[in-house]
Amino acid sequence: MFKPHSEISQLEPQIVWQFFDQICSIPHPSKHEEALAQFIVNWANSKDLATRRDKTGNVFIKKPATEGMENRKPVVLQAHIDMVPQKNDDTAHNFETDPIRPFIDGDWVTADGTTLGADNGIGMASCLAVLASDDVAHGPLEVILTIDEEAGMTGAFGLEAGWLEGEILLNTDSEQEGEIYMGCAGGIDAGLTLDIERQEKSAQQTYLEISLKGLKGGHSGVDIHTGRANANKLLARTLKHHLTDIEFQIVEFKGGSLRNAIPREAYTTIAIQDADINKVSTYIEQVQSLMRQELSAIETGLTFNVSQTESALNPLTLASTQQLLSLLNACPNGVVRMSDDIKGVVETSLNLGVITTQADSIEILCLIRSLIDSGRKDVEGTLSSLAELAGAKVEFSGAYPGWKPEPESELIHIFRDMYEGIYGKKPDIMVIHAGLECGLFKEPYPEMDMISFGPTIKFPHSPDEKVHIESVGLYWQQMKALLSNIPVKTA
């Protein structure tokens, strides 16, 4: 079909893996997915498939029903084009220009030092495989591939009524085979801004950079309950509680790269008296030992490093330094509340995702997720109160709705019966603590019946991301069986 990019193109089902292999070969991080979108449009046009783009940039492709299935309810297959760009610190990779390098690792496919993009590349590959296949029975079919899902759901927000004709939507952005999702969390971005004051660096001061690396990171929705550490929180804790008898001033604090990824790395530059250099190194060694012991079951690669450095910035005043550390230490992070209605599912959470330093301010970007609006608003209130106490400003933006579960959905019953008929067991019907685009699709298409399903993907949004090979085959089997079992359209 395509020129092979890697060894994964030979895996089965080959039609799905060949598309995913091709997807990996074309850079497509959030905000930079146009090359892949245009490749897909050109491919669809070469197959004489009806193709169009909306003003947001979403890709729509339409395929007629296979013979004898013209009377089935029309189906929409949906995936997002972009991927999360995360890499290990020692990996040289430019996500805007370099292809992903996938490889087979036992029962899994992973990437060489970067995120793999199986989230949502495998789902996208399966949608394209259905379009390409001559042996998949289906009714009237549409595929919609949205842009910029990972960095703000721009494509889903931009979707207008009237573009889709389908009555059923199959979202392919789930990450555990054997689970089908009927609902998801909504969310909102929270941006905290703390104004800071600086003073002249003294001749007796040295600048030290303290870095924290080697954490696992991960998806701020599906991994938030796993106990994975947040580098921003650990580094702030280190400065606030473990350097207590050293007078220091922060020069710069930065950590994390995406509001929806648990921060894996954080860095700070501090100004200290020359006489305290060795003392800082000793304390950081002690902190590293302590935290490795605390987090030994999860964070096996946690590593601090201390080195002398230079900076054009002057140090913060002592008052601004303490104000910042108090704010970071008091900021909530992680699971706020578990759901009472759905056992084992997180209801509300917050991820302290990205910290950046400007000349006169510190910017802190968090992502709040909740299954219920009241839970989200409660955390908004907490952050507003915290900002008021700290003398900071807070702004909330980019709110997106959750997807309200519909347990009696016809589509859920069809999938459950189909799955049990194939495997002799029922799938788990779940609600996911992550932002799926289904909630936004419900606004212009409130009557559309929806589910989300997919293969098993571990550690999305981190360089540990991997997809289980066998589960891709099972997922493809389910996709084909489900399309062939879509009911007849009612008059």
Side-chain angles (χ1 to χ4, degrees):
M1 183 184 298
F2 304 114
K3 181 180 179 181
H5 167 61
S6 73
E7 62 181 345
I8 70 170
S9 65
Q10 302 305 308
L11 293 170
E12 293 291 343
Q14 197 168 36
I15 191 169
V16 176
W17 286 107
Q18 284 180 343
F19 271 111
F20 183 59
D21 186 53
Q22 193 67 24
I23 288 166
C24 289
S25 75
I26 303 171
H28 58 286
S30 301
K31 311 290 186 185
H32 300 278
E33 61 267 65
E34 182 58 27
L36 180 55
Q38 193 56 53
F39 169 83
I40 292 168
V41 168
N42 292 341
W43 170 83
N45 287 335
S46 75
K47 299 296 182 182
D48 294 325
L49 297 169
T51 307
R52 55 187 174 145
R53 308 279 299 271
D54 65 11
K55 64 183 179 181
T56 306
N58 300 318
V59 176
F60 297 81
I61 307 171
K62 192 171 183 179
K63 184 181 181 184
T66 53
E67 186 176 355
M69 298 190 69
E70 295 85 356
N71 64 343
R72 302 299 180 97
K73 288 185 177 182
V75 171
V76 178
L77 301 181
Q78 191 264 321
H80 62 81
I81 301 175
D82 61 319
M83 65 169 286
V84 168
Q86 292 276 283
K87 67 183 183 69
N88 289 324
D89 187 60
D90 59 354
T91 298
H93 189 92
N94 185 333
F95 283 95
E96 295 179 26
T97 59
D98 298 339
I100 299 300
R101 300 183 296 271
F103 65 93
I104 299 168
D105 184 15
D107 295 333
W108 302 81
V109 167
T110 189
D112 185 11
T114 70
T115 37
L116 174 63
D119 171 16
N120 182 216
I122 287 287
M124 179 165 41
S126 71
C127 295
L128 298 176
V130 172
L131 292 174
S133 297
D134 297 325
D135 59 351
V136 176
H138 58 79
L141 188 70
E142 297 170 276
V143 168
I144 174 172
L145 306 176
T146 51
I147 64 162
D148 198 34
E149 189 269 352
E150 299 289 7
M153 295 196 177
T154 304
F157 269 112
L159 182 64
E160 297 179 5
W163 278 78
L164 297 173
E165 300 172 2
E167 297 181 28
I168 287 171
L169 184 137
L170 305 181
N171 173 278
T172 65
D173 198 14
S174 294
E175 293 159 358
Q176 181 61 53
E177 190 282 317
E179 296 178 354
I180 59 171
Y181 292 92
M182 62 176 180
C184 71
I188 193 168
D189 294 339
L192 292 154
T193 302
L194 178 67
D195 292 334
I196 53 177
E197 295 182 353
R198 297 183 184 272
Q199 66 183 50
E200 292 292 328
K201 177 185 178 184
S202 76
Q204 289 75 42
Q205 284 184 313
T206 294
Y207 281 1
L208 294 182
E209 181 184 79
I210 303 173
S211 64
L212 171 57
K213 302 180 183 181
L215 301 183
K216 290 186 179 298
H219 192 294
S220 71
V222 297
D223 294 322
I224 200 70
H225 65 290
T226 62
R228 293 186 168 204
N230 182 309
N232 290 330
K233 292 290 289 183
L234 287 189
L235 187 56
R237 168 189 164 185
T238 298
L239 297 178
K240 180 70 174 176
H241 298 300
H242 296 283
L243 301 182
T244 52
D245 65 342
I246 297 174
E247 184 174 291
F248 67 90
Q249 296 159 261
I250 289 176
V251 179
E252 184 176 13
F253 196 116
K254 59 183 180 180
S257 58
L258 296 166
R259 94 254 191 269
N260 60 352
I262 300 170
R264 305 170 54 247
E265 300 173 352
Y267 307 81
T268 188
T269 300
I270 63 172
I272 64 165
Q273 297 298 309
D274 294 344
D276 287 330
I277 293 176
N278 291 335
K279 188 182 291 187
V280 169
S281 296
T282 299
Y283 285 171
I284 293 300
E285 287 179 6
Q286 293 172 354
V287 172
Q288 177 176 276
S289 178
L290 172 68
M291 290 185 177
R292 282 180 174 177
Q293 184 176 4
E294 282 185 7
L295 302 167
S296 61
I298 299 171
E299 300 292 0
T300 56
L302 182 154
T303 302
F304 280 93
N305 185 64
V306 180
S307 61
Q308 293 191 36
T309 189
E310 300 290 337
S311 175
L313 295 172
N314 283 321
L316 277 62
T317 63
L318 286 172
S320 283
T321 293
Q322 291 306 313
Q323 190 179 19
L324 171 61
L325 292 180
S326 294
L327 173 59
L328 293 178
N329 273 274
C331 186
N333 179 75
V335 175
V336 175
R337 194 169 191 275
M338 299 297 291
S339 174
D340 291 332
D341 299 324
I342 309 166
K343 185 178 179 181
V345 173
V346 178
E347 176 202 276
T348 306
S349 72
L350 181 140
N351 181 53
L352 201 167
V354 184
I355 303 175
T356 54
T357 301
Q358 311 301 325
D360 55 3
S361 66
I362 303 289
E363 311 288 338
I364 304 166
L365 181 59
C366 304
L367 175 58
I368 304 168
R369 300 181 190 265
S370 186
L371 298 177
I372 56 176
D373 288 343
S374 60
R376 189 196 78 195
K377 290 175 181 177
D378 180 50
V379 179
E380 290 179 37
T382 298
L383 290 183
S384 295
S385 297
L386 181 60
E388 183 178 352
L389 290 170
K393 300 184 287 290
V394 64
E395 293 186 359
F396 300 100
S397 63
Y400 58 89
W403 169 24
K404 184 179 179 181
E406 298 178 17
E408 298 308 313
S409 153
E410 179 186 31
L411 185 56
I412 288 175
H413 289 286
I414 292 170
F415 189 101
R416 183 169 53 201
D417 292 345
M418 175 272 296
Y419 192 96
E420 187 174 13
I422 297 173
Y423 305 115
K425 60 180 180 180
K426 287 183 169 63
D428 294 323
I429 300 172
M430 308 283 289
V431 172
I432 190 170
H433 189 71
L436 297 175
E437 293 165 290
C438 297
L440 288 167
F441 275 60
K442 274 288 188 180
E443 294 194 337
Y445 302 96
E447 302 304 317
M448 192 176 283
D449 201 358
M450 305 178 180
I451 62 168
S452 179
F453 69 116
T456 299
I457 299 170
K458 296 296 186 184
F459 317 128
H461 297 195
S462 85
D464 296 327
E465 182 184 7
K466 58 184 181 179
V467 59
H468 191 244
I469 295 168
E470 182 182 6
S471 75
V472 173
L474 295 174
Y475 161 67
W476 179 239
Q477 184 181 36
Q478 294 155 27
M479 173 70 80
K480 294 189 294 181
L482 183 58
L483 289 173
S484 69
N485 280 280
I486 297 297
V488 171
K489 183 178 174 66
T490 55

